Amino acid sequence: MASTLADLKSQLASAAKDVTYVGESPVVYQKNGLRLEGHQLLASYLHQGQRFRKWAVVLPRPSGTVAHVWSYTAPESRFERYRPIAESMLDSWTIQVAGR
């Protein structure tokens, strides 16, 4: 998971300017008897002259070899207005593991 998170940050830094991380914290996915511990971050950055915000969630699969990544990006002026829709989408996310 750490390498996936580092890759996300690296990609953002190479594609955008003035990247700042507003918040980072652990996150837990728990549905249908599956519990995954991951990490989320909130970033602010400039891209093509416009300020954006990105919220990303990284959850490793139980084996640790694959990570699921979910993200929501919007212009900063509209980020909070549409965040409830993004939260609903994240809440609808269902991760399935074979044999469960």
Side-chain angles (χ1 to χ4, degrees):
M1 178 189 61
S3 64
T4 302
L5 197 58
D7 284 348
L8 278 174
K9 288 180 175 183
S10 176
Q11 289 173 22
L12 188 55
S14 68
K17 296 178 181 179
D18 192 26
V19 178
T20 57
Y21 294 96
V22 181
E24 290 188 52
S25 63
V27 65
V28 174
Y29 170 93
Q30 193 160 343
K31 276 189 188 171
N32 302 324
L34 178 63
R35 178 182 168 89
L36 301 173
E37 295 181 14
H39 201 81
Q40 63 183 346
L41 64 83
L42 183 62
S44 175
Y45 60 92
L46 283 174
H47 181 66
Q48 295 183 347
Q50 186 171 13
R51 182 149 298 275
F52 286 86
R53 275 200 165 182
K54 175 185 271 308
W55 173 22
V57 175
V58 178
L59 295 168
R61 290 190 61 84
S63 65
T65 57
V66 174
H68 297 277
V69 178
W70 176 93
S71 68
Y72 161 58
T73 304
E76 193 167 63
S77 63
R78 292 184 237 153
F79 187 87
E80 289 302 325
R81 182 181 336 155
Y82 295 108
R83 186 178 181 143
I85 295 169
E87 287 174 345
S88 293
M89 293 170 75
L90 178 59
D91 288 342
S92 73
W93 198 17
T94 301
I95 297 172
Q96 297 180 353
V97 177
R100 286 190 180 242

